Structures are given as structure tokens and as C-alpha cells.
Amino acid sequence: MFDLHRLRLLRELKHRGTLAAVAAALSYSPSSVSQQLSQLEAEVGVRLLEPIGRRVRLTEQAEILVAHTEAVLKRLERAEADIAASLTELTGTLRIASFQTATLALIPGALSILRDLHPGLRPHVTQMPPEVALPALQARDFDLVIAEEYPGNPNPRPAELEQEDLLDDSLRLALPEPADDADGPTASLRSLADRPWAMEPEGTTARHWAMTLCRNAGFEPDVRFETTDLLIHLRLVEQGHAVALLPDLVWIGQSPTVTLRQLPRGQRTRRIFTAVRRGRSRHPAIRACRHALRQAAAAATAPIDT
């Protein structure tokens, strides 16, 4: 029999890429991780790692072991779900990752619902962009991730993850002053070709979508402000320093403080969804969290008059 702990270290190495990353994630020293993997090689009787420069990669035999380890871990998660379902009260920690606007607009309401219905459950929330959170979910750093998908930019759908739609969040052009959009959304965008823009940083899905939107309208935006914090985007628009693309979730609990205009058809909503590891959706804590998030989303989504 192979040691499950060492098998999990091998799996961690596949997902995290380096011995140092595995050690940091699990609070071990790199030498301890290396020693454990060497012992696993001795147990299996074949080479599992091969050096590539200053790094290592998994051999074909190691990939086979990781695939079986994934199956074992999935079965153990199902066992955990079955045990939790047999209990009368939900307890334990539920690790949630959520991006900024969902954290602001949905998480507080969902936490209130969970506190009232399941006081023994301990939610732990981390704000994290989906580009980072979804791989971390696969690596078992989280139990549930709230993520987003922009129009025309479908996310990869790993077979290891299950997604469930939460809501469609409208996206709008935000201006510091009143503006006439009688000529249509594309013309409204094009009229801002010479204005400073606030956008999310390069490499994010939101930035790729926003750049494509502007280029399809016939111009290259002058991006002068880059941050993932949409509240900073909003403040820059309010003070007349930039124009931006803002989702409706920014306005939960308040009326818009800037002029909002519709975007071209097919570009007006982003999809917000929850993701869990496959088979994990049966766990009572996951079901309770998704139920609370749906209730919070229903309470938060109200039409905005533009």
C-alpha cells in the first residue's frame, strides 16, 4: 500500500508546479517535501520526478499515480459529505473564495443567512480574483469559489469542477457627466476614444473583455488607471478623472452616482457562478452556502434606471 500523505504531496506538486510552492502551501520545508517524495519513489519502485533545469517534472508513472490519487480523494470527499448529511447540525469550516464585487454585494447577506440557519458552520472568506481562485479550488485550497465570466470570453471548464449559475450581472459604461446616447451604444463608446480609462490590470479576463469591446468600437483605449478594485474605478469616474465599465453589483444598497449607459448587444452582462470540485456539491455545507448565495443574489439584484 502506498502512503496517502505522500501521494497527496505528489498531487500538490502537479498542481503547484514547484517543491517550494508545495512547501509554502502546506507549511513544510522544501527539504521535507523532497524527502517525502523520495520515500514515495522507494515505495513505488519507479522514478516519479525528473529534473528540468532547476525544477522537476512528473514522470509518466507519476502522472498515473496522481490520477489514482485524485480518484481516492474524490471518494473521501464523498464519504465526508455522507457523514455530514447524517448529522443533524452543520459544523466545521467552509472555505470560500470570492472576487471583489461579489464579496461586497453578496457575501454579507449570505453570511447572515448561514449564521441564522447553521450557527455551527464557520465560513472563512478570502477575496481573490477568479483567475487565481479556480486553480486554487482544484488544488483543494478552497471548498467553493464565486467566479465571473465575461461575454465573449468563456472560461475553461475543467472536468474536475462543477459550476452552477448564480446570476447575470449587467455591465454598463460609466461617465462622470450626463451624455446623450441617441446614436446608440457603439457610438457612445467611440465618442470616448480620447478620454482616460480605468480598467483592471493586463492579464485579467475583465481587461481582455474591455479591450476587445473598445477595439470592436474602433479605437484603442487610453488606459491610465489599472486596478482590480472597482471602487477605485468608481471614485475616478465620480471625480471626472476617467471613464470606466462598471457592473451593477457595485450599486447594491445605493443609487448610481455617475451617468450609466448601455453597452452594445451581446456585451451587456457577465455571468456569475459558483464552482466546487466534482462530487462536492452533495456536501450539506456546500448546498447550504449555495442556497444562501441564491437568496442573497435575489435580494441584491434590482433593475437600475439608466
Side-chain angles (χ1 to χ4, degrees), residues 75-85 280 283-284:
R75 192 60 184 261
L76 289 175
E77 284 198 326
R78 287 174 184 162
E80 180 186 352
D82 289 344
I83 290 172
R280 188 74 171 169
H283 195 289

PDB file of all heavy atoms in Angstrom, residues 75-85 280 283-284:
ATOM      1  N   ARG A  75     -13.339  10.186  -3.645  1.00  0.00           N
ATOM      2  CA  ARG A  75     -14.141   9.227  -2.879  1.00  0.00           C
ATOM      3  C   ARG A  75     -14.170   9.612  -1.396  1.00  0.00           C
ATOM      4  O   ARG A  75     -15.204   9.502  -0.734  1.00  0.00           O
ATOM      5  CB  ARG A  75     -13.568   7.824  -3.060  1.00  0.00           C
ATOM      6  CG  ARG A  75     -14.474   6.722  -2.553  1.00  0.00           C
ATOM      7  CD  ARG A  75     -15.804   6.744  -3.294  1.00  0.00           C
ATOM      8  NE  ARG A  75     -16.735   5.770  -2.771  1.00  0.00           N
ATOM      9  CZ  ARG A  75     -16.946   4.576  -3.321  1.00  0.00           C
ATOM     10  NH1 ARG A  75     -16.286   4.227  -4.413  1.00  0.00           N
ATOM     11  NH2 ARG A  75     -17.817   3.745  -2.794  1.00  0.00           N
ATOM     12  N   LEU A  76     -13.045  10.090  -0.879  1.00  0.00           N
ATOM     13  CA  LEU A  76     -13.002  10.521   0.515  1.00  0.00           C
ATOM     14  C   LEU A  76     -13.876  11.749   0.735  1.00  0.00           C
ATOM     15  O   LEU A  76     -14.523  11.880   1.791  1.00  0.00           O
ATOM     16  CB  LEU A  76     -11.551  10.814   0.916  1.00  0.00           C
ATOM     17  CG  LEU A  76     -10.638   9.593   1.052  1.00  0.00           C
ATOM     18  CD1 LEU A  76      -9.204  10.030   1.321  1.00  0.00           C
ATOM     19  CD2 LEU A  76     -11.124   8.670   2.162  1.00  0.00           C
ATOM     20  N   GLU A  77     -13.918  12.651  -0.233  1.00  0.00           N
ATOM     21  CA  GLU A  77     -14.796  13.823  -0.107  1.00  0.00           C
ATOM     22  C   GLU A  77     -16.263  13.403  -0.100  1.00  0.00           C
ATOM     23  O   GLU A  77     -17.078  13.986   0.611  1.00  0.00           O
ATOM     24  CB  GLU A  77     -14.527  14.812  -1.231  1.00  0.00           C
ATOM     25  CG  GLU A  77     -13.253  15.623  -1.049  1.00  0.00           C
ATOM     26  CD  GLU A  77     -13.219  16.870  -1.902  1.00  0.00           C
ATOM     27  OE1 GLU A  77     -13.767  16.833  -3.029  1.00  0.00           O
ATOM     28  OE2 GLU A  77     -12.649  17.880  -1.456  1.00  0.00           O
ATOM     29  N   ARG A  78     -16.596  12.398  -0.908  1.00  0.00           N
ATOM     30  CA  ARG A  78     -17.977  11.899  -0.897  1.00  0.00           C
ATOM     31  C   ARG A  78     -18.312  11.269   0.446  1.00  0.00           C
ATOM     32  O   ARG A  78     -19.428  11.413   0.959  1.00  0.00           O
ATOM     33  CB  ARG A  78     -18.174  10.904  -2.029  1.00  0.00           C
ATOM     34  CG  ARG A  78     -18.219  11.562  -3.397  1.00  0.00           C
ATOM     35  CD  ARG A  78     -18.262  10.545  -4.505  1.00  0.00           C
ATOM     36  NE  ARG A  78     -18.219  11.203  -5.802  1.00  0.00           N
ATOM     37  CZ  ARG A  78     -17.894  10.593  -6.930  1.00  0.00           C
ATOM     38  NH1 ARG A  78     -17.580   9.305  -6.925  1.00  0.00           N
ATOM     39  NH2 ARG A  78     -17.877  11.265  -8.075  1.00  0.00           N
ATOM     40  N   ALA A  79     -17.335  10.567   1.025  1.00  0.00           N
ATOM     41  CA  ALA A  79     -17.546   9.992   2.348  1.00  0.00           C
ATOM     42  C   ALA A  79     -17.772  11.092   3.377  1.00  0.00           C
ATOM     43  O   ALA A  79     -18.660  10.989   4.244  1.00  0.00           O
ATOM     44  CB  ALA A  79     -16.343   9.134   2.743  1.00  0.00           C
ATOM     45  N   GLU A  80     -16.986  12.144   3.279  1.00  0.00           N
ATOM     46  CA  GLU A  80     -17.154  13.288   4.184  1.00  0.00           C
ATOM     47  C   GLU A  80     -18.541  13.891   4.030  1.00  0.00           C
ATOM     48  O   GLU A  80     -19.199  14.246   5.017  1.00  0.00           O
ATOM     49  CB  GLU A  80     -16.088  14.335   3.891  1.00  0.00           C
ATOM     50  CG  GLU A  80     -16.161  15.564   4.782  1.00  0.00           C
ATOM     51  CD  GLU A  80     -15.192  16.650   4.366  1.00  0.00           C
ATOM     52  OE1 GLU A  80     -14.342  16.398   3.483  1.00  0.00           O
ATOM     53  OE2 GLU A  80     -15.290  17.762   4.915  1.00  0.00           O
ATOM     54  N   ALA A  81     -19.008  14.023   2.769  1.00  0.00           N
ATOM     55  CA  ALA A  81     -20.342  14.570   2.515  1.00  0.00           C
ATOM     56  C   ALA A  81     -21.426  13.676   3.105  1.00  0.00           C
ATOM     57  O   ALA A  81     -22.406  14.155   3.689  1.00  0.00           O
ATOM     58  CB  ALA A  81     -20.556  14.752   1.018  1.00  0.00           C
ATOM     59  N   ASP A  82     -21.265  12.359   2.961  1.00  0.00           N
ATOM     60  CA  ASP A  82     -22.262  11.430   3.500  1.00  0.00           C
ATOM     61  C   ASP A  82     -22.313  11.502   5.022  1.00  0.00           C
ATOM     62  O   ASP A  82     -23.392  11.434   5.626  1.00  0.00           O
ATOM     63  CB  ASP A  82     -21.938  10.001   3.048  1.00  0.00           C
ATOM     64  CG  ASP A  82     -22.201   9.794   1.565  1.00  0.00           C
ATOM     65  OD1 ASP A  82     -22.906  10.627   0.966  1.00  0.00           O
ATOM     66  OD2 ASP A  82     -21.676   8.815   0.997  1.00  0.00           O
ATOM     67  N   ILE A  83     -21.152  11.618   5.660  1.00  0.00           N
ATOM     68  CA  ILE A  83     -21.118  11.736   7.115  1.00  0.00           C
ATOM     69  C   ILE A  83     -21.797  13.029   7.550  1.00  0.00           C
ATOM     70  O   ILE A  83     -22.610  13.047   8.485  1.00  0.00           O
ATOM     71  CB  ILE A  83     -19.666  11.680   7.627  1.00  0.00           C
ATOM     72  CG1 ILE A  83     -19.104  10.262   7.436  1.00  0.00           C
ATOM     73  CG2 ILE A  83     -19.589  12.086   9.103  1.00  0.00           C
ATOM     74  CD1 ILE A  83     -17.625  10.147   7.718  1.00  0.00           C
ATOM     75  N   ALA A  84     -21.477  14.134   6.853  1.00  0.00           N
ATOM     76  CA  ALA A  84     -22.099  15.417   7.198  1.00  0.00           C
ATOM     77  C   ALA A  84     -23.614  15.356   7.027  1.00  0.00           C
ATOM     78  O   ALA A  84     -24.364  15.938   7.822  1.00  0.00           O
ATOM     79  CB  ALA A  84     -21.502  16.522   6.338  1.00  0.00           C
ATOM     80  N   ALA A  85     -24.068  14.655   5.981  1.00  0.00           N
ATOM     81  CA  ALA A  85     -25.510  14.549   5.724  1.00  0.00           C
ATOM     82  C   ALA A  85     -26.217  13.741   6.801  1.00  0.00           C
ATOM     83  O   ALA A  85     -27.424  13.908   7.021  1.00  0.00           O
ATOM     84  CB  ALA A  85     -25.751  13.932   4.359  1.00  0.00           C
ATOM     85  N   ARG A 280     -18.431  17.297  -4.899  1.00  0.00           N
ATOM     86  CA  ARG A 280     -18.509  18.047  -3.649  1.00  0.00           C
ATOM     87  C   ARG A 280     -19.857  18.736  -3.474  1.00  0.00           C
ATOM     88  O   ARG A 280     -20.222  19.126  -2.357  1.00  0.00           O
ATOM     89  CB  ARG A 280     -17.388  19.094  -3.640  1.00  0.00           C
ATOM     90  CG  ARG A 280     -17.197  19.846  -2.343  1.00  0.00           C
ATOM     91  CD  ARG A 280     -16.542  18.991  -1.295  1.00  0.00           C
ATOM     92  NE  ARG A 280     -16.171  19.795  -0.125  1.00  0.00           N
ATOM     93  CZ  ARG A 280     -15.777  19.281   1.024  1.00  0.00           C
ATOM     94  NH1 ARG A 280     -15.702  17.970   1.163  1.00  0.00           N
ATOM     95  NH2 ARG A 280     -15.453  20.062   2.045  1.00  0.00           N
ATOM     96  N   HIS A 283     -22.269  17.893  -0.614  1.00  0.00           N
ATOM     97  CA  HIS A 283     -21.987  18.162   0.797  1.00  0.00           C
ATOM     98  C   HIS A 283     -23.004  19.166   1.349  1.00  0.00           C
ATOM     99  O   HIS A 283     -23.279  20.188   0.725  1.00  0.00           O
ATOM    100  CB  HIS A 283     -20.570  18.723   0.949  1.00  0.00           C
ATOM    101  CG  HIS A 283     -20.060  18.685   2.361  1.00  0.00           C
ATOM    102  ND1 HIS A 283     -20.547  19.506   3.346  1.00  0.00           N
ATOM    103  CD2 HIS A 283     -19.118  17.906   2.959  1.00  0.00           C
ATOM    104  CE1 HIS A 283     -19.918  19.254   4.479  1.00  0.00           C
ATOM    105  NE2 HIS A 283     -19.047  18.297   4.273  1.00  0.00           N
ATOM    106  N   PRO A 284     -23.588  18.894   2.519  1.00  0.00           N
ATOM    107  CA  PRO A 284     -24.608  19.800   3.067  1.00  0.00           C
ATOM    108  C   PRO A 284     -24.127  21.241   3.238  1.00  0.00           C
ATOM    109  O   PRO A 284     -24.906  22.183   3.052  1.00  0.00           O
ATOM    110  CB  PRO A 284     -24.944  19.164   4.421  1.00  0.00           C
ATOM    111  CG  PRO A 284     -24.611  17.726   4.260  1.00  0.00           C
ATOM    112  CD  PRO A 284     -23.425  17.681   3.339  1.00  0.00           C
TER     113      PRO A 284
END
